[in-house]
Every structure is written in structure tokens, then in C-alpha cells.
Amino acid sequence: MPTIFEKIIAKEIPAHIVYEDDLTIAFLDVSQATKGHTLIVPKSPYPNLYEMPEALAGHVMGVAIKVANAIKRAFEPEGLNLLSNTGTIAGQSVFHFHIHLIPRYEKNDIGLSFTEHQDELSLEDYEERAERIRAALS
Ligand code: DGP
């Protein structure tokens, strides 16, 4: 079943489009987490990061950089988060890969923090985790 983003890409429903090329579209997120919150969306409907072809991901990231700089010039935020949710548990609600650009104006203007430590780890614990990822890459 097509997602809402496919309808936006096909211009069947309106969106506030800020950029478009053959492979990509960028439009304002309807729920503006902060002023200028924008989504960068490849036109092909890959469901999430796991499925994205690397070359297309490179193009989409290039568009994200272009649009991020435009947001910076337009609104002069203090900073910006680039975020992509994969899976319901991570907050994904539209299953068509996309990147959020969320300009940041104040420290706590969105509830997003990676600073909480899960637990105390030894060097061996870190190494064991790294080794599992390295093994899965090969
Ligand atoms: P995520 O939860 O990461 O899958 O992000 C999906 C985002 O899409 C969410 O922040 C709200 C936005 N969104 C959902 N429906 C629409 C829509 O119809 N138009 C626009 N512009 N954004 C939408």
C-alpha cells in the first residue's frame, strides 16, 4: 500500500515543497518539531535505511546538506539535528525512507538525548560489541 509520501511525490496531496529533483523531494514536516523542520525523501519508496541503495543514499545526503544550509541561512538556528527513524520502536511512522532536518534554537526544544548511559562498561565489553559488528560486516 502506498504511503502518504508517495501521494505527496505524485502531487495527489499538497505539501510545502522546498526542493525537488529527479530522485528526491524535500518538504516541510506537517508537525513542525521546530521552525523549518523539513523532510528529505527519495522518490523511490524504500521502506527504511536498511533497504536504501548506497548511491541513492549519497544523493539524498547531498540534498540534505543543500537544504540544511538553506535552513541555516533562512532561520539562523543555533544548530540542527539530522535524523532518520527505522522501525516503530525508533519512532518511524511513515515506512518510506526519509531524513528529518530539525533546526535547533534552544537546548531542550525537542526531546532527544543520547547522553544517558545505559550501563557501566569495561573495555572488554566495548571490544566485544565492536567485534560483533565487525564480524557481521565481513
Ligand atoms: P517518522 O515518524 O520518522 O516516520 O516521520 C514521519 C513524519 O512525516 C512525521 O514527523 C510527520 C510527517 N508527516 C506525516 N504525514 C504527513 C503529511 O501528510 N504531510 C507532511 N508534510 N508531513 C507528514
Side-chain angles (χ1 to χ4, degrees):
M1 204 175 83
T3 67
I4 197 86
F5 289 175
E6 283 176 77
K7 293 183 182 155
I8 290 172
I9 291 161
K11 311 281 161 64
E12 289 166 14
I13 63 166
H16 296 277
I17 297 166
V18 299
Y19 175 87
E20 184 168 13
D21 63 26
D22 288 349
L23 301 176
T24 320
I25 190 167
F27 50 87
L28 292 186
D29 191 306
V30 73
S31 18
Q32 292 276 281
T34 64
K35 184 174 61 183
H37 178 185
T38 300
L39 302 174
I40 316 293
V41 184
K43 290 185 174 175
S44 299
Y46 295 100
N48 56 43
L49 179 70
Y50 299 136
E51 312 293 334
M52 278 289 285
E54 288 182 21
L56 178 59
H59 178 79
V60 172
M61 184 58 81
V63 171
I65 292 168
K66 220 190 294 275
V67 175
N69 275 291
I71 291 170
K72 180 170 175 252
R73 287 192 292 273
F75 299 118
E76 299 183 341
E78 288 286 314
L80 180 141
N81 287 106
L82 180 153
L83 175 73
S84 183
N85 300 322
T86 288
T88 308
I89 196 167
Q92 187 175 14
S93 59
V94 177
F95 293 86
H96 179 139
F97 175 79
H98 53 282
I99 290 174
H100 294 258
L101 295 179
I102 307 175
R104 298 296 301 276
Y105 302 91
E106 287 169 27
K107 194 166 175 6
N108 297 315
D109 51 6
I110 64 167
L112 180 72
S113 170
F114 299 100
T115 55
E116 308 263 320
H117 292 265
Q118 253 188 343
D119 41 33
E120 289 301 319
L121 297 180
S122 66
L123 282 179
E124 290 73 25
D125 293 329
Y126 283 106
E127 186 49 27
E128 195 260 340
R129 290 181 184 188
E131 183 48 33
R132 284 175 66 172
I133 297 171
R134 285 194 290 264
L137 277 167
S138 56

mmCIF file of all heavy atoms in Angstrom, residues 35-79:
data_model
loop_
_atom_site.group_PDB
_atom_site.id
_atom_site.type_symbol
_atom_site.label_atom_id
_atom_site.label_comp_id
_atom_site.label_asym_id
_atom_site.label_seq_id
_atom_site.Cartn_x
_atom_site.Cartn_y
_atom_site.Cartn_z
ATOM 1 N N LYS A 35 10.830 25.343 14.058
ATOM 2 C CA LYS A 35 10.589 26.161 12.866
ATOM 3 C C LYS A 35 11.535 25.758 11.723
ATOM 4 O O LYS A 35 12.754 25.831 11.878
ATOM 5 C CB LYS A 35 10.811 27.645 13.224
ATOM 6 C CG LYS A 35 10.507 28.608 12.096
ATOM 7 C CD LYS A 35 10.589 30.056 12.538
ATOM 8 C CE LYS A 35 11.965 30.426 13.041
ATOM 9 N NZ LYS A 35 12.067 31.790 13.542
ATOM 10 N N GLY A 36 10.952 25.289 10.620
ATOM 11 C CA GLY A 36 11.756 24.905 9.462
ATOM 12 C C GLY A 36 12.014 23.408 9.357
ATOM 13 O O GLY A 36 12.707 22.957 8.437
ATOM 14 N N HIS A 37 11.449 22.604 10.272
ATOM 15 C CA HIS A 37 11.598 21.130 10.253
ATOM 16 C C HIS A 37 11.198 20.603 8.865
ATOM 17 O O HIS A 37 10.067 20.775 8.424
ATOM 18 C CB HIS A 37 10.698 20.560 11.356
ATOM 19 C CG HIS A 37 10.666 19.075 11.460
ATOM 20 N ND1 HIS A 37 9.813 18.436 12.334
ATOM 21 C CD2 HIS A 37 11.363 18.086 10.836
ATOM 22 C CE1 HIS A 37 9.983 17.136 12.242
ATOM 23 N NE2 HIS A 37 10.913 16.891 11.325
ATOM 24 N N THR A 38 12.163 19.969 8.192
ATOM 25 C CA THR A 38 11.995 19.579 6.784
ATOM 26 C C THR A 38 12.340 18.106 6.600
ATOM 27 O O THR A 38 13.230 17.576 7.268
ATOM 28 C CB THR A 38 12.931 20.458 5.907
ATOM 29 O OG1 THR A 38 12.558 21.832 6.081
ATOM 30 C CG2 THR A 38 12.840 20.115 4.436
ATOM 31 N N LEU A 39 11.627 17.453 5.697
ATOM 32 C CA LEU A 39 11.893 16.046 5.374
ATOM 33 C C LEU A 39 12.552 15.946 4.002
ATOM 34 O O LEU A 39 12.115 16.610 3.051
ATOM 35 C CB LEU A 39 10.585 15.247 5.360
ATOM 36 C CG LEU A 39 9.782 15.261 6.658
ATOM 37 C CD1 LEU A 39 8.437 14.560 6.450
ATOM 38 C CD2 LEU A 39 10.560 14.580 7.788
ATOM 39 N N ILE A 40 13.587 15.129 3.906
ATOM 40 C CA ILE A 40 14.257 14.842 2.632
ATOM 41 C C ILE A 40 13.869 13.409 2.261
ATOM 42 O O ILE A 40 14.152 12.475 3.023
ATOM 43 C CB ILE A 40 15.799 14.933 2.764
ATOM 44 C CG1 ILE A 40 16.239 16.169 3.560
ATOM 45 C CG2 ILE A 40 16.461 14.853 1.403
ATOM 46 C CD1 ILE A 40 15.957 17.481 2.900
ATOM 47 N N VAL A 41 13.241 13.239 1.102
ATOM 48 C CA VAL A 41 12.625 11.944 0.768
ATOM 49 C C VAL A 41 13.050 11.504 -0.629
ATOM 50 O O VAL A 41 12.810 12.238 -1.606
ATOM 51 C CB VAL A 41 11.074 12.075 0.817
ATOM 52 C CG1 VAL A 41 10.411 10.729 0.572
ATOM 53 C CG2 VAL A 41 10.605 12.672 2.142
ATOM 54 N N PRO A 42 13.650 10.305 -0.760
ATOM 55 C CA PRO A 42 13.899 9.796 -2.112
ATOM 56 C C PRO A 42 12.562 9.450 -2.762
ATOM 57 O O PRO A 42 11.635 9.021 -2.071
ATOM 58 C CB PRO A 42 14.733 8.535 -1.876
ATOM 59 C CG PRO A 42 14.407 8.101 -0.489
ATOM 60 C CD PRO A 42 14.046 9.350 0.284
ATOM 61 N N LYS A 43 12.446 9.644 -4.069
ATOM 62 C CA LYS A 43 11.153 9.380 -4.715
ATOM 63 C C LYS A 43 10.838 7.881 -4.776
ATOM 64 O O LYS A 43 9.678 7.494 -4.774
ATOM 65 C CB LYS A 43 11.116 10.022 -6.102
ATOM 66 C CG LYS A 43 11.053 11.543 -5.997
ATOM 67 C CD LYS A 43 10.883 12.217 -7.342
ATOM 68 C CE LYS A 43 10.680 13.710 -7.134
ATOM 69 N NZ LYS A 43 10.623 14.452 -8.400
ATOM 70 N N SER A 44 11.881 7.027 -4.831
ATOM 71 C CA SER A 44 11.635 5.580 -4.800
ATOM 72 C C SER A 44 11.289 5.168 -3.373
ATOM 73 O O SER A 44 11.933 5.605 -2.427
ATOM 74 C CB SER A 44 12.876 4.814 -5.246
ATOM 75 O OG SER A 44 13.199 5.168 -6.565
ATOM 76 N N PRO A 45 10.280 4.307 -3.226
ATOM 77 C CA PRO A 45 9.743 4.024 -1.899
ATOM 78 C C PRO A 45 10.475 2.924 -1.128
ATOM 79 O O PRO A 45 9.891 1.909 -0.772
ATOM 80 C CB PRO A 45 8.296 3.613 -2.201
ATOM 81 C CG PRO A 45 8.385 2.962 -3.535
ATOM 82 C CD PRO A 45 9.475 3.674 -4.297
ATOM 83 N N TYR A 46 11.767 3.117 -0.855
ATOM 84 C CA TYR A 46 12.451 2.158 0.014
ATOM 85 C C TYR A 46 11.940 2.364 1.437
ATOM 86 O O TYR A 46 11.839 3.508 1.900
ATOM 87 C CB TYR A 46 13.961 2.359 -0.060
ATOM 88 C CG TYR A 46 14.498 2.056 -1.445
ATOM 89 C CD1 TYR A 46 14.774 3.077 -2.339
ATOM 90 C CD2 TYR A 46 14.669 0.746 -1.859
ATOM 91 C CE1 TYR A 46 15.218 2.801 -3.620
ATOM 92 C CE2 TYR A 46 15.121 0.453 -3.144
ATOM 93 C CZ TYR A 46 15.390 1.494 -4.015
ATOM 94 O OH TYR A 46 15.825 1.204 -5.287
ATOM 95 N N PRO A 47 11.618 1.263 2.138
ATOM 96 C CA PRO A 47 10.912 1.436 3.417
ATOM 97 C C PRO A 47 11.745 2.031 4.545
ATOM 98 O O PRO A 47 11.194 2.681 5.432
ATOM 99 C CB PRO A 47 10.456 0.017 3.776
ATOM 100 C CG PRO A 47 11.305 -0.898 2.966
ATOM 101 C CD PRO A 47 11.704 -0.151 1.737
ATOM 102 N N ASN A 48 13.057 1.808 4.519
ATOM 103 C CA ASN A 48 13.871 2.290 5.643
ATOM 104 C C ASN A 48 15.346 2.259 5.266
ATOM 105 O O ASN A 48 15.715 1.866 4.149
ATOM 106 C CB ASN A 48 13.620 1.445 6.907
ATOM 107 C CG ASN A 48 13.879 -0.027 6.662
ATOM 108 O OD1 ASN A 48 14.870 -0.389 6.017
ATOM 109 N ND2 ASN A 48 12.999 -0.885 7.134
ATOM 110 N N LEU A 49 16.191 2.675 6.207
ATOM 111 C CA LEU A 49 17.638 2.778 5.966
ATOM 112 C C LEU A 49 18.249 1.458 5.510
ATOM 113 O O LEU A 49 19.110 1.436 4.617
ATOM 114 C CB LEU A 49 18.334 3.241 7.257
ATOM 115 C CG LEU A 49 19.853 3.381 7.196
ATOM 116 C CD1 LEU A 49 20.251 4.571 6.331
ATOM 117 C CD2 LEU A 49 20.436 3.528 8.594
ATOM 118 N N TYR A 50 17.806 0.349 6.104
ATOM 119 C CA TYR A 50 18.389 -0.955 5.764
ATOM 120 C C TYR A 50 18.308 -1.241 4.271
ATOM 121 O O TYR A 50 19.160 -1.908 3.706
ATOM 122 C CB TYR A 50 17.649 -2.090 6.486
ATOM 123 C CG TYR A 50 17.672 -2.046 7.988
ATOM 124 C CD1 TYR A 50 16.491 -2.302 8.706
ATOM 125 C CD2 TYR A 50 18.837 -1.798 8.706
ATOM 126 C CE1 TYR A 50 16.490 -2.282 10.084
ATOM 127 C CE2 TYR A 50 18.836 -1.778 10.091
ATOM 128 C CZ TYR A 50 17.661 -2.027 10.783
ATOM 129 O OH TYR A 50 17.648 -2.015 12.138
ATOM 130 N N GLU A 51 17.247 -0.778 3.634
ATOM 131 C CA GLU A 51 16.964 -1.140 2.237
ATOM 132 C C GLU A 51 17.553 -0.149 1.230
ATOM 133 O O GLU A 51 17.489 -0.381 0.021
ATOM 134 C CB GLU A 51 15.442 -1.199 2.011
ATOM 135 C CG GLU A 51 14.659 -1.989 3.042
ATOM 136 C CD GLU A 51 14.973 -3.464 3.003
ATOM 137 O OE1 GLU A 51 15.383 -3.955 1.935
ATOM 138 O OE2 GLU A 51 14.825 -4.120 4.059
ATOM 139 N N MET A 52 18.074 0.976 1.702
ATOM 140 C CA MET A 52 18.476 2.047 0.781
ATOM 141 C C MET A 52 19.712 1.669 -0.042
ATOM 142 O O MET A 52 20.741 1.282 0.522
ATOM 143 C CB MET A 52 18.803 3.317 1.573
ATOM 144 C CG MET A 52 17.587 4.116 1.930
ATOM 145 S SD MET A 52 16.843 4.916 0.491
ATOM 146 C CE MET A 52 17.991 6.258 0.219
ATOM 147 N N PRO A 53 19.668 1.830 -1.388
ATOM 148 C CA PRO A 53 20.879 1.655 -2.192
ATOM 149 C C PRO A 53 21.887 2.758 -1.830
ATOM 150 O O PRO A 53 21.496 3.915 -1.632
ATOM 151 C CB PRO A 53 20.386 1.843 -3.636
ATOM 152 C CG PRO A 53 18.900 1.763 -3.571
ATOM 153 C CD PRO A 53 18.493 2.159 -2.195
ATOM 154 N N GLU A 54 23.164 2.391 -1.741
ATOM 155 C CA GLU A 54 24.165 3.347 -1.255
ATOM 156 C C GLU A 54 24.273 4.578 -2.156
ATOM 157 O O GLU A 54 24.434 5.696 -1.671
ATOM 158 C CB GLU A 54 25.529 2.670 -1.107
ATOM 159 C CG GLU A 54 25.554 1.714 0.079
ATOM 160 C CD GLU A 54 26.918 1.071 0.279
ATOM 161 O OE1 GLU A 54 27.933 1.614 -0.210
ATOM 162 O OE2 GLU A 54 26.957 0.019 0.929
ATOM 163 N N ALA A 55 24.196 4.381 -3.488
ATOM 164 C CA ALA A 55 24.355 5.539 -4.390
ATOM 165 C C ALA A 55 23.210 6.528 -4.198
ATOM 166 O O ALA A 55 23.418 7.746 -4.142
ATOM 167 C CB ALA A 55 24.410 5.069 -5.840
ATOM 168 N N LEU A 56 22.000 6.012 -4.060
ATOM 169 C CA LEU A 56 20.853 6.893 -3.838
ATOM 170 C C LEU A 56 20.978 7.591 -2.482
ATOM 171 O O LEU A 56 20.693 8.785 -2.351
ATOM 172 C CB LEU A 56 19.544 6.087 -3.923
ATOM 173 C CG LEU A 56 18.258 6.877 -3.668
ATOM 174 C CD1 LEU A 56 18.107 8.037 -4.658
ATOM 175 C CD2 LEU A 56 17.028 5.946 -3.754
ATOM 176 N N ALA A 57 21.422 6.842 -1.481
ATOM 177 C CA ALA A 57 21.607 7.440 -0.147
ATOM 178 C C ALA A 57 22.602 8.595 -0.219
ATOM 179 O O ALA A 57 22.419 9.625 0.445
ATOM 180 C CB ALA A 57 22.076 6.375 0.839
ATOM 181 N N GLY A 58 23.635 8.438 -1.051
ATOM 182 C CA GLY A 58 24.629 9.505 -1.220
ATOM 183 C C GLY A 58 23.986 10.743 -1.824
ATOM 184 O O GLY A 58 24.225 11.871 -1.381
ATOM 185 N N HIS A 59 23.147 10.535 -2.821
ATOM 186 C CA HIS A 59 22.458 11.671 -3.449
ATOM 187 C C HIS A 59 21.536 12.358 -2.438
ATOM 188 O O HIS A 59 21.508 13.589 -2.327
ATOM 189 C CB HIS A 59 21.661 11.197 -4.667
ATOM 190 C CG HIS A 59 20.894 12.297 -5.318
ATOM 191 N ND1 HIS A 59 21.480 13.214 -6.165
ATOM 192 C CD2 HIS A 59 19.590 12.662 -5.205
ATOM 193 C CE1 HIS A 59 20.575 14.091 -6.553
ATOM 194 N NE2 HIS A 59 19.418 13.783 -5.987
ATOM 195 N N VAL A 60 20.773 11.551 -1.703
ATOM 196 C CA VAL A 60 19.828 12.100 -0.716
ATOM 197 C C VAL A 60 20.599 12.898 0.347
ATOM 198 O O VAL A 60 20.167 13.978 0.768
ATOM 199 C CB VAL A 60 18.993 10.964 -0.076
ATOM 200 C CG1 VAL A 60 18.157 11.477 1.084
ATOM 201 C CG2 VAL A 60 18.088 10.314 -1.124
ATOM 202 N N MET A 61 21.759 12.399 0.743
ATOM 203 C CA MET A 61 22.565 13.125 1.745
ATOM 204 C C MET A 61 23.071 14.447 1.169
ATOM 205 O O MET A 61 23.117 15.463 1.878
ATOM 206 C CB MET A 61 23.735 12.250 2.212
ATOM 207 C CG MET A 61 24.558 12.877 3.308
ATOM 208 S SD MET A 61 23.607 13.277 4.793
ATOM 209 C CE MET A 61 23.566 11.675 5.582
ATOM 210 N N GLY A 62 23.419 14.448 -0.118
ATOM 211 C CA GLY A 62 23.835 15.702 -0.757
ATOM 212 C C GLY A 62 22.713 16.729 -0.735
ATOM 213 O O GLY A 62 22.936 17.919 -0.444
ATOM 214 N N VAL A 63 21.485 16.271 -1.006
ATOM 215 C CA VAL A 63 20.332 17.178 -0.949
ATOM 216 C C VAL A 63 20.132 17.660 0.486
ATOM 217 O O VAL A 63 19.847 18.842 0.732
ATOM 218 C CB VAL A 63 19.063 16.475 -1.496
ATOM 219 C CG1 VAL A 63 17.822 17.327 -1.239
ATOM 220 C CG2 VAL A 63 19.222 16.175 -2.977
ATOM 221 N N ALA A 64 20.302 16.756 1.450
ATOM 222 C CA ALA A 64 20.144 17.152 2.866
ATOM 223 C C ALA A 64 21.127 18.268 3.229
ATOM 224 O O ALA A 64 20.759 19.218 3.929
ATOM 225 C CB ALA A 64 20.346 15.932 3.769
ATOM 226 N N ILE A 65 22.341 18.171 2.739
ATOM 227 C CA ILE A 65 23.345 19.216 3.033
ATOM 228 C C ILE A 65 22.914 20.549 2.421
ATOM 229 O O ILE A 65 22.986 21.603 3.063
ATOM 230 C CB ILE A 65 24.735 18.771 2.530
ATOM 231 C CG1 ILE A 65 25.239 17.595 3.356
ATOM 232 C CG2 ILE A 65 25.728 19.935 2.575
ATOM 233 C CD1 ILE A 65 26.458 16.889 2.773
ATOM 234 N N LYS A 66 22.446 20.487 1.162
ATOM 235 C CA LYS A 66 21.985 21.708 0.476
ATOM 236 C C LYS A 66 20.831 22.367 1.250
ATOM 237 O O LYS A 66 20.840 23.563 1.510
ATOM 238 C CB LYS A 66 21.470 21.288 -0.918
ATOM 239 C CG LYS A 66 21.822 22.216 -2.058
ATOM 240 C CD LYS A 66 21.050 21.841 -3.329
ATOM 241 C CE LYS A 66 21.375 20.527 -3.969
ATOM 242 N NZ LYS A 66 22.510 20.570 -4.869
ATOM 243 N N VAL A 67 19.843 21.550 1.612
ATOM 244 C CA VAL A 67 18.654 22.097 2.280
ATOM 245 C C VAL A 67 19.016 22.558 3.703
ATOM 246 O O VAL A 67 18.521 23.589 4.169
ATOM 247 C CB VAL A 67 17.500 21.063 2.280
ATOM 248 C CG1 VAL A 67 16.313 21.574 3.086
ATOM 249 C CG2 VAL A 67 17.067 20.743 0.851
ATOM 250 N N ALA A 68 19.901 21.817 4.385
ATOM 251 C CA ALA A 68 20.326 22.222 5.746
ATOM 252 C C ALA A 68 20.959 23.610 5.694
ATOM 253 O O ALA A 68 20.697 24.460 6.560
ATOM 254 C CB ALA A 68 21.305 21.206 6.318
ATOM 255 N N ASN A 69 21.774 23.849 4.681
ATOM 256 C CA ASN A 69 22.402 25.170 4.558
ATOM 257 C C ASN A 69 21.376 26.257 4.257
ATOM 258 O O ASN A 69 21.515 27.392 4.731
ATOM 259 C CB ASN A 69 23.508 25.151 3.506
ATOM 260 C CG ASN A 69 24.819 24.670 4.102
ATOM 261 O OD1 ASN A 69 25.423 25.363 4.906
ATOM 262 N ND2 ASN A 69 25.230 23.464 3.747
ATOM 263 N N ALA A 70 20.342 25.896 3.484
ATOM 264 C CA ALA A 70 19.273 26.869 3.213
ATOM 265 C C ALA A 70 18.505 27.190 4.496
ATOM 266 O O ALA A 70 18.172 28.354 4.767
ATOM 267 C CB ALA A 70 18.337 26.320 2.145
ATOM 268 N N ILE A 71 18.219 26.161 5.305
ATOM 269 C CA ILE A 71 17.532 26.379 6.589
ATOM 270 C C ILE A 71 18.397 27.267 7.485
ATOM 271 O O ILE A 71 17.902 28.188 8.145
ATOM 272 C CB ILE A 71 17.242 25.017 7.277
ATOM 273 C CG1 ILE A 71 16.169 24.250 6.498
ATOM 274 C CG2 ILE A 71 16.832 25.221 8.731
ATOM 275 C CD1 ILE A 71 15.976 22.811 6.955
ATOM 276 N N LYS A 72 19.694 27.009 7.483
ATOM 277 C CA LYS A 72 20.626 27.815 8.295
ATOM 278 C C LYS A 72 20.553 29.280 7.872
ATOM 279 O O LYS A 72 20.474 30.177 8.722
ATOM 280 C CB LYS A 72 22.036 27.250 8.121
ATOM 281 C CG LYS A 72 23.122 27.959 8.883
ATOM 282 C CD LYS A 72 24.403 27.129 8.810
ATOM 283 C CE LYS A 72 25.557 27.849 9.456
ATOM 284 N NZ LYS A 72 26.518 28.334 8.448
ATOM 285 N N ARG A 73 20.563 29.525 6.566
ATOM 286 C CA ARG A 73 20.510 30.921 6.086
ATOM 287 C C ARG A 73 19.140 31.543 6.376
ATOM 288 O O ARG A 73 19.040 32.719 6.732
ATOM 289 C CB ARG A 73 20.786 30.972 4.577
ATOM 290 C CG ARG A 73 22.251 30.728 4.213
ATOM 291 C CD ARG A 73 22.518 31.069 2.751
ATOM 292 N NE ARG A 73 21.863 30.141 1.834
ATOM 293 C CZ ARG A 73 22.394 28.992 1.410
ATOM 294 N NH1 ARG A 73 23.603 28.634 1.815
ATOM 295 N NH2 ARG A 73 21.741 28.204 0.578
ATOM 296 N N ALA A 74 18.075 30.731 6.226
ATOM 297 C CA ALA A 74 16.718 31.282 6.357
ATOM 298 C C ALA A 74 16.360 31.613 7.802
ATOM 299 O O ALA A 74 15.721 32.633 8.066
ATOM 300 C CB ALA A 74 15.704 30.289 5.783
ATOM 301 N N PHE A 75 16.732 30.740 8.744
ATOM 302 C CA PHE A 75 16.226 30.873 10.120
ATOM 303 C C PHE A 75 17.315 31.092 11.170
ATOM 304 O O PHE A 75 17.003 31.312 12.333
ATOM 305 C CB PHE A 75 15.395 29.625 10.493
ATOM 306 C CG PHE A 75 14.198 29.409 9.614
ATOM 307 C CD1 PHE A 75 14.088 28.272 8.834
ATOM 308 C CD2 PHE A 75 13.181 30.348 9.550
ATOM 309 C CE1 PHE A 75 12.989 28.058 8.017
ATOM 310 C CE2 PHE A 75 12.077 30.155 8.736
ATOM 311 C CZ PHE A 75 11.984 29.013 7.967
ATOM 312 N N GLU A 76 18.560 30.949 10.771
ATOM 313 C CA GLU A 76 19.702 31.133 11.681
ATOM 314 C C GLU A 76 19.546 30.365 13.000
ATOM 315 O O GLU A 76 19.617 30.956 14.090
ATOM 316 C CB GLU A 76 19.925 32.626 11.946
ATOM 317 C CG GLU A 76 20.243 33.379 10.662
ATOM 318 C CD GLU A 76 20.533 34.851 10.895
ATOM 319 O OE1 GLU A 76 20.153 35.372 11.956
ATOM 320 O OE2 GLU A 76 21.145 35.459 10.018
ATOM 321 N N PRO A 77 19.291 29.041 12.932
ATOM 322 C CA PRO A 77 19.216 28.264 14.173
ATOM 323 C C PRO A 77 20.595 28.157 14.817
ATOM 324 O O PRO A 77 21.616 28.391 14.166
ATOM 325 C CB PRO A 77 18.743 26.893 13.684
ATOM 326 C CG PRO A 77 19.240 26.809 12.281
ATOM 327 C CD PRO A 77 19.182 28.213 11.735
ATOM 328 N N GLU A 78 20.600 27.775 16.099
ATOM 329 C CA GLU A 78 21.874 27.549 16.801
ATOM 330 C C GLU A 78 22.559 26.283 16.293
ATOM 331 O O GLU A 78 23.780 26.169 16.321
ATOM 332 C CB GLU A 78 21.626 27.390 18.303
ATOM 333 C CG GLU A 78 21.251 28.666 19.022
ATOM 334 C CD GLU A 78 22.457 29.574 19.198
ATOM 335 O OE1 GLU A 78 23.517 29.071 19.610
ATOM 336 O OE2 GLU A 78 22.321 30.769 18.907
ATOM 337 N N GLY A 79 21.738 25.309 15.880
ATOM 338 C CA GLY A 79 22.267 24.026 15.403
ATOM 339 C C GLY A 79 21.179 23.288 14.647
ATOM 340 O O GLY A 79 20.117 23.852 14.346
#
